[in-house]
Amino acid sequence: MTQKSILITGCSSGIGLDAARRLHAEGWRVLATCRDAADCAKLEAEGLESFPLDLTKQSSIEDGVKETLSRTGGTLDALYNNAAFACPGAVEDLPSGALREIFEVNLFGLQELTRLIIPVMRAQGHGRILQCSSVLGLVGIRWRGAYVATKFALEGLTDVLRLEMRDTAIKVILIEPGPIPSNIRVNSIPHFERWIDWKASARRAQYEASLLKRLYEPSSKPDRFQLPASAVSDKILIALTVANPRARYYVTKATWISALSRRILPPRLLDWVMAKA
């Protein structure tokens, strides 16, 4: 049986790293990409195929696709768009530059990579595109406006892509994790420090009482809804292998509860619930 291939973005840690390891162990040919070459070297040291792919650079996206196809002989069975980052801060304090920067990775770069891969899948007559969304693609919480905006946009873009691909053999699937251990909090700090002038904000006291503590002094107590990254990999494997995958795969109880709450609660009550989150 021919070994199936998958291209994954954002494999330096967390969900992407676990997915790359799991699929490799399951017999997939995994092309695990990272933004930094040093992270790629670490993956290669443990036996994974890896090369740089920076979603903020058109040339890197194009080179990544060329490298992928040169290694696979011009085919690709699946794409898992996982790479993303966060820039915490109150919406009223978010400069447009911060939004442009986060959308460049979490949506625009992802879309460009997908756009370049679809013709390959069309030509071979099959393919699966998995998009890593989030519980924050279903509901919003305070301080996460920029990240929430990208994930809501990804949800809409993916829904339309799935509809448009109905007349092809390309399956489009959303993976929607809730709380999963990762480096996203630590990695968000430089973006927060670059873009958010919290000291001059009308919400300075709230930053000091809430967000700063969460960023710089995280609780050692685990989230009661938290699951390991392997729980996401479990859903990814299902989405890649079942004959008729679902449109969405929720991971963690938090995601299931949020999806249900969005359906049945009136907006004011949902706002109250999410304000407590």
Side-chain angles (χ1 to χ4, degrees), residues 34-107:
C34 309
R35 182 176 182 178
D36 296 327
D39 291 325
C40 294
K42 292 178 184 177
L43 296 182
E44 289 181 327
E46 63 175 83
L48 292 167
E49 288 188 69
S50 185
F51 51 87
L53 199 163
D54 185 343
L55 292 176
T56 66
K57 298 178 180 177
Q58 179 70 27
S59 60
S60 181
I61 296 171
E62 292 174 355
D63 289 345
V65 172
K66 290 177 183 177
E67 181 66 21
T68 296
L69 299 180
S70 70
R71 294 187 183 216
T72 64
T75 66
L76 186 69
D77 295 291
L79 167 65
Y80 178 37
N81 284 310
N82 169 72
F85 73 90
C87 180
V91 171
E92 65 187 283
D93 297 327
L94 278 172
S96 57
L99 286 172
R100 289 191 187 98
E101 184 178 73
I102 193 170
F103 266 87
E104 198 64 51
V105 172
N106 294 12
L107 190 73

Side-chain angles (χ1 to χ4, degrees), residues 140-162:
I141 61 173
R142 291 178 297 177
W143 309 116
R144 300 294 187 271
Y147 186 80
V148 167
T150 64
K151 293 303 183 181
F152 267 61
L154 178 60
E155 292 271 333
L157 190 71
T158 303
D159 281 344
V160 174
L161 179 62
R162 187 180 65 254

Side-chain angles (χ1 to χ4, degrees), residues 39-252:
D39 291 325
C40 294
K42 292 178 184 177
L43 296 182
E44 289 181 327
E46 63 175 83
L48 292 167
E49 288 188 69
S50 185
F51 51 87
L53 199 163
D54 185 343
L55 292 176
T56 66
K57 298 178 180 177
Q58 179 70 27
S59 60
S60 181
I61 296 171
E62 292 174 355
D63 289 345
V65 172
K66 290 177 183 177
E67 181 66 21
T68 296
L69 299 180
S70 70
R71 294 187 183 216
T72 64
T75 66
L76 186 69
D77 295 291
L79 167 65
Y80 178 37
N81 284 310
N82 169 72
F85 73 90
C87 180
V91 171
E92 65 187 283
D93 297 327
L94 278 172
S96 57
L99 286 172
R100 289 191 187 98
E101 184 178 73
I102 193 170
F103 266 87
E104 198 64 51
V105 172
N106 294 12
L107 190 73
F108 302 152
L110 171 159
Q111 164 62 11
E112 182 63 11
L113 177 59
T114 303
R115 191 182 69 82
L116 295 178
I117 292 296
I118 285 176
V120 177
M121 293 181 172
R122 279 184 175 276
Q124 68 194 16
H126 71 275
R128 301 212 174 178
I129 298 170
L130 278 60
Q131 314 272 51
C132 191
S133 184
S134 167
V135 61
L136 297 184
L138 302 173
V139 294
I141 61 173
R142 291 178 297 177
W143 309 116
R144 300 294 187 271
Y147 186 80
V148 167
T150 64
K151 293 303 183 181
F152 267 61
L154 178 60
E155 292 271 333
L157 190 71
T158 303
D159 281 344
V160 174
L161 179 62
R162 187 180 65 254
L163 288 171
E164 293 172 346
M165 291 292 110
R166 281 172 59 85
D167 62 349
T168 75
I170 300 171
K171 307 293 187 182
V172 182
I173 305 116
L174 281 158
I175 307 294
E176 297 176 312
I180 302 290
S182 73
N183 292 335
I184 193 166
R185 177 191 60 81
V186 173
N187 292 340
S188 73
I189 292 175
H191 301 286
F192 171 74
E193 293 178 343
R194 176 184 179 190
W195 291 109
I196 307 301
D197 186 6
W198 65 269
K199 292 181 180 179
S201 173
R203 299 190 179 276
R204 175 170 178 164
Q206 293 177 11
Y207 277 101
E208 293 173 330
S210 177
L211 181 58
L212 296 183
K213 290 181 179 180
R214 290 179 63 86
L215 273 181
Y216 296 102
E217 303 170 24
S219 172
S220 58
K221 185 179 179 181
D223 188 308
R224 61 177 173 162
F225 294 119
Q226 183 173 286
L227 289 177
S230 59
V232 184
S233 296
D234 290 342
K235 296 292 187 179
I236 291 170
L237 191 60
I238 293 171
L240 289 172
T241 56
V242 297
N244 293 300
R246 298 175 185 173
R248 285 171 168 77
Y249 286 90
Y250 299 147
V251 188
T252 78

